Amino acid sequence: FQSLGKASVSPAFGPASFTTKQDKMQHFRKSTFPMLSVDDALSIVLQHSEQLEPVTLPLLDIQKGSCLAINAACPDPIPPFRASIMDGYALYSEDSSDEGCILEVVARITAGIDSEKIALERGQCAYITTGAMLPPNANAVIKIEDTEACLGDPSLTNNEEKAVKILKKVEEGKNIRQKGSDISMGQNILKSGDELTPSEIGLLATCGISRVTVFPMPIIGIMSTGNEIVEPVDESATNGKIRDSNRYALLSYVKSMGAQAVDLGIVPDSSGHLERSIAYAADRCDIIITTGGVSMGEADLLKTIIESLGKIHFGRVMMKPGKPTTFGTIRANGRNKLLFALPGNPASCLVTAHLFVTPAIKKLSGHVIENCAHSQVDVTIAQDLPLDPERPEYHRAIVSCESPEQGLVGRSTGNQMSCKLLSMGKANGLLCLPAMSGFLKAGSTVRCILIGEIKPPSNPLHSFHQKSAGFVFGDEFLSNEGLLNESVATCSGHHHHHSHDERAAGEHEHSHLKRTKIKVALLTISDRAHQGVYEDLSGPCIESLLLDQALSFDATVTLKSIVPDEPEEIKRLILEWSRKDVDLILTSGGTGFGRRDKTPEAIKSILEREAPGIALALLNKGLEHTPLAVLSRPVAGTVGNALIVTFPGSTKAIKENFVALVPLLPRIVNLLQG
């Protein structure tokens, strides 16, 4: 991006003079601007966003996000000649036969060779590679797998072969791309307003179009305002100063959109400096973004400055965060330049940039109006969320596709205070929460505005490419037997006809996608709980988690017990339960480093097959919450057809570990049940 230096204003006006003395201006105690809905505010932004003047550029100079300004037509037919779809032999289809025949090989044609002068006669053929040009008289290509060599090893090819055996009949036109079959001469391939992504750039290059007329990406200037703001790389945040995060975040955001970013530096709370800096920016930029100075304090001067230079279209928005967001236009160089005065709180700044600036960038760069809207999906929220009774909230969240059954899940990033920049970390969605009292319950469905890519499933067994996604789970659960993509089985709208045997095999193969019924035994291991001097909290905690209706399986707790930290007693009860009709045995307690913590040793001694991948998954999940999770010693494995998994005794740790185990259970139990 361009930079106008670290001075508070542009070089044209010299360095800023920071002062605590405020301009002598009167301020209203309440805003005079009406409160608009986000929808109304967005409509105003798009109404005043005019497409930029088109420019003609070479393909390799086109910026991310640019849109075509005029329709593009293909000057030539694609492909420009008849081309082979396969490696094989070009021939007369009439010469082929299911009984087999031998043809003379008169040429070898590879991609890039002009075969126009290669004339085939009946009884002749030419070896040809994929994409190569067919000779004029050939009317079919037989794939190489349907031929044999006449001399030597019949499965090998030989570039000196004189004849080849054709094993099957091939129909006329088979394995041939006809001239112009993809794109005809003069056909419109792209229309005005189409975004030029890598696919479109490749399409234009295929058609021989090396220069196109596009709407350019806007030039966007970004400044921070405030006497308290200092550069993060040069100065320490002391004596009432704070480091400038907004400008850095917005410069990165603008570059991610494909626009040209101009660093306008830090401008102090002085009407003179602000007015000169904004006028300077309006002369050079298409969009100006400022942060800070739009609230009701005495140092909040921006709205007055904007009104003196242009027009404010709205100055308050009914939303949380971002209520003081201001939008105006300034006339410069014959165009309306857009000015977004965003709140100074870091989270508010980024949320309002995504909501209001992104659609404006798209409109200026030529996107059709319907494509300027935000990408939106419906998500299931993972926890109860508090609501604001006065304003709708755009709640920062992490959106991921956890499983085919759950679909998209939204998890809050935590504390949503507008000053909490940490709440934007990893956020890829804004949950649209209504203005009302109370809480929105976990499991509710809400609309979510996407501001980043959807995260992959946290459980690799729900990933389409399971081996590459889930190496941490070990070979036992990533063997070919265990790799069955649930996403394939749950795809709708793709119907195929199968034989009865195939359908039966398919039903068996995908049986794990039905709601699995799991019979569970719970064992609490604690001296004090066994003696009755300590209430057992871990067992009931696990039971309540298992009975959660949102789970993708049906669990029934059939056995429960409490035993002391005695290895022999632990082994006796688990062996007894494993011989009963139980699918899963979950223990809690005795996995730490206390002298009496012998659960891992007791259980390991009776396991028939260990499952280190499961234990590692539990440990990793715990480490996401506390480094002390390394002190836990989880164990997992099987005895007979029962899976045994150990949990810590802490209810908090149990809940954390449970998240890692739940997605695995239906698949594991189905494998153990055969």
Side-chain angles (χ1 to χ4, degrees):
F1 56 84
Q2 296 181 354
S3 174
L4 298 185
K6 294 180 181 177
S8 298
V9 294
S10 69
F13 301 104
S17 173
F18 289 89
T19 175
T20 58
K21 182 181 178 181
Q22 300 299 329
D23 297 313
K24 294 181 179 180
M25 301 176 68
Q26 290 184 326
H27 297 270
F28 290 104
R29 292 183 181 275
K30 293 183 178 180
S31 176
T32 58
F33 291 96
M35 188 89 77
L36 299 186
S37 69
V38 173
D39 199 11
D40 287 341
L42 271 172
S43 297
I44 291 172
V45 169
L46 291 173
Q47 177 186 342
H48 291 278
S49 300
E50 305 168 2
Q51 291 177 337
L52 298 175
E53 288 295 319
V55 295
T56 301
L57 297 172
L59 290 185
L60 294 180
D61 290 345
I62 292 173
Q63 295 168 290
K64 175 186 176 183
S66 295
C67 290
L68 202 61
I70 58 175
N71 295 349
C74 185
D76 304 308
I78 303 295
F81 48 78
R82 293 190 310 148
S84 175
I85 295 175
M86 300 240 177
D87 293 333
Y89 293 85
L91 45 67
Y92 287 90
S93 65
E94 296 86 350
D95 287 341
S96 62
S97 169
D98 287 331
E99 286 74 36
C101 63
I102 294 177
L103 300 181
E104 179 186 5
V105 179
V106 297
R108 304 187 76 79
I109 307 168
T110 56
I113 290 179
D114 183 356
S115 62
E116 186 65 32
K117 296 181 180 179
I118 299 175
L120 296 183
E121 297 180 1
R122 294 293 301 272
Q124 295 179 334
C125 66
Y127 172 80
I128 193 166
T129 60
T130 302
M133 178 181 178
L134 260 73
N137 297 339
N139 62 9
V141 173
I142 187 166
K143 60 183 179 180
I144 199 166
E145 293 88 344
D146 293 335
T147 66
E148 285 184 355
C150 291
L151 298 175
D153 188 336
S155 65
L156 300 178
T157 60
N158 186 332
N159 59 10
E160 296 181 355
E161 65 184 351
K162 301 301 182 184
V164 66
K165 185 175 183 180
I166 307 300
L167 303 177
K168 292 184 178 180
K169 173 69 177 176
V170 61
E171 300 298 326
E172 182 176 347
K174 188 71 172 176
N175 298 325
I176 295 175
R177 288 172 64 206
Q178 299 296 336
K179 180 178 179 179
S181 58
D182 290 354
I183 305 171
S184 59
M185 182 184 296
Q187 178 181 339
N188 277 338
I189 54 171
L190 295 171
K191 63 181 184 298
S192 176
D194 285 345
E195 183 178 355
L196 297 180
T197 69
S199 298
E200 282 73 27
I201 298 294
L203 177 60
L204 291 166
T206 293
C207 294
I209 301 173
S210 60
R211 297 174 66 85
V212 290
T213 301
V214 299
F215 296 104
M217 295 299 294
I219 299 171
I220 303 178
I222 294 143
M223 72 174 71
S224 289
T225 70
N227 294 337
E228 75 279 17
I229 307 299
V230 296
E231 289 287 351
V233 294
D234 294 338
E235 303 177 53
S236 61
T238 57
N239 301 322
K241 305 296 184 182
I242 58 173
R243 296 188 181 96
D244 186 1
S245 63
N246 289 345
R247 196 170 100 256
Y248 282 76
L250 289 173
L251 287 167
S252 177
Y253 153 76
V254 166
K255 289 189 290 180
S256 74
M257 292 290 295
Q260 180 179 339
V262 177
D263 186 357
L264 298 173
I266 301 170
V267 183
D269 290 320
S270 157
S271 57
H273 282 122
L274 287 168
E275 185 171 349
R276 289 193 297 271
S277 297
I278 291 173
Y280 177 85
D283 191 50
R284 290 157 177 78
C285 303
D286 303 302
I287 297 176
I288 306 159
I289 305 176
T290 68
T291 66
V294 289
S295 293
M296 299 302 297
E298 290 185 358
D300 293 326
L301 310 173
L302 265 175
K303 289 180 178 177
T304 302
I305 302 301
I306 298 169
E307 285 184 314
S308 71
L309 295 173
K311 182 178 180 180
I312 291 180
H313 300 287
F314 61 79
R316 287 196 305 164
V317 184
M318 181 71 76
M319 63 180 294
K320 179 183 178 182
K323 183 172 74 171
T325 300
T326 300
F327 169 69
T329 52
I330 298 173
R331 195 74 179 173
N333 302 325
R335 287 186 59 86
N336 279 333
K337 306 301 181 74
L338 310 184
L339 192 150
F340 294 90
L342 306 182
N345 278 323
S348 300
C349 169
L350 281 175
V351 168
T352 52
H354 282 294
L355 284 177
F356 298 110
V357 182
T358 296
I361 293 174
K362 290 184 175 182
K363 183 74 181 297
L364 264 64
S365 58
H367 288 257
V368 294
I369 190 69
E370 56 267 26
N371 290 340
C372 294
H374 301 93
S375 297
Q376 302 172 33
V377 294
D378 289 333
V379 304
T380 302
I381 58 174
Q383 65 261 75
D384 293 352
L385 297 179
L387 299 172
D388 189 297
E390 297 181 356
R391 290 179 286 163
E393 180 179 359
Y394 294 84
H395 192 106
R396 282 83 77 195
I398 299 171
V399 179
S400 60
C401 182
E402 288 303 314
S403 71
E405 294 87 357
Q406 287 181 293
L408 295 178
V409 177
R411 289 180 171 80
S412 172
T413 56
N415 191 317
Q416 297 288 301
M417 290 180 64
S418 56
C419 59
K420 289 277 188 178
L421 185 56
L422 193 63
S423 68
M424 287 298 297
K426 298 183 181 179
N428 60 346
L430 301 174
L431 303 178
C432 303
L433 305 183
M436 56 190 299
S437 300
F439 286 79
L440 200 61
K441 293 294 185 182
S444 301
T445 299
V446 300
R447 183 57 55 93
C448 178
I449 293 172
L450 293 178
I451 59 174
E453 292 186 357
I454 293 176
K455 307 298 182 185
S458 57
N459 178 1
L461 290 181
H462 293 140
S463 173
F464 190 83
H465 302 110
Q466 294 164 320
K467 281 188 177 179
S468 60
F471 61 90
V472 72
F473 282 82
D475 292 338
E476 179 174 352
F477 296 102
L478 295 178
S479 64
N480 288 331
E481 179 185 10
L483 289 176
L484 193 58
N485 281 301
E486 299 176 10
S487 55
V488 174
T490 55
C491 284
S492 60
H494 298 279
H495 303 287
H496 305 279
H497 298 287
H498 300 288
S499 68
H500 174 77
D501 290 341
E502 288 173 324
R503 285 196 300 271
E507 288 171 5
H508 173 73
E509 187 179 53
H510 301 308
S511 62
H512 71 288
L513 296 177
K514 302 172 184 176
R515 287 188 68 83
T516 303
K517 297 185 182 301
I518 303 177
K519 292 182 282 293
V520 187
L522 301 180
L523 179 60
T524 299
I525 302 168
S526 167
D527 288 333
R528 289 185 295 169
H530 183 258
Q531 293 165 0
V533 298
Y534 175 82
E535 181 185 359
D536 176 24
L537 300 178
S538 58
C541 173
I542 298 174
E543 186 169 9
S544 68
L545 292 172
L546 286 167
L547 298 179
D548 187 341
Q549 295 298 310
L551 297 178
S552 60
F553 55 85
D554 297 321
T556 304
V557 177
T558 59
L559 296 168
K560 291 187 287 187
S561 186
I562 303 174
V563 297
D565 291 288
E566 295 290 346
E568 293 305 318
E569 183 64 15
I570 296 170
K571 289 191 287 185
R572 181 194 66 77
L573 198 54
I574 287 181
L575 287 172
E576 177 185 321
W577 283 356
S578 66
R579 289 190 287 268
K580 297 183 178 181
D581 190 18
V582 171
D583 304 305
L584 175 65
I585 300 173
L586 297 177
T587 75
S588 58
T591 62
F593 274 84
R595 290 187 177 183
R596 295 280 292 167
D597 291 337
K598 301 292 180 64
T599 301
E601 288 73 22
I603 292 177
K604 274 189 176 183
S605 69
I606 60 173
L607 290 179
E608 296 171 2
R609 293 186 296 170
E610 285 194 50
I614 296 178
L616 189 55
L618 302 185
L619 182 60
N620 285 337
K621 181 56 69 173
L623 288 171
E624 291 179 11
H625 300 274
T626 172
L628 295 179
V630 295
L631 300 179
S632 180
R633 299 179 296 133
V635 172
T638 62
V639 177
N641 291 331
L643 172 69
I644 294 89
V645 180
T646 66
F647 282 159
S650 158
T651 56
K652 179 178 180 295
I654 287 171
K655 292 174 183 178
E656 294 166 0
N657 282 206
F658 193 77
V659 172
L661 180 63
V662 161
L664 306 174
L665 287 178
R667 183 65 181 146
I668 298 170
V669 170
N670 280 312
L671 287 171
L672 291 173
Q673 291 176 347

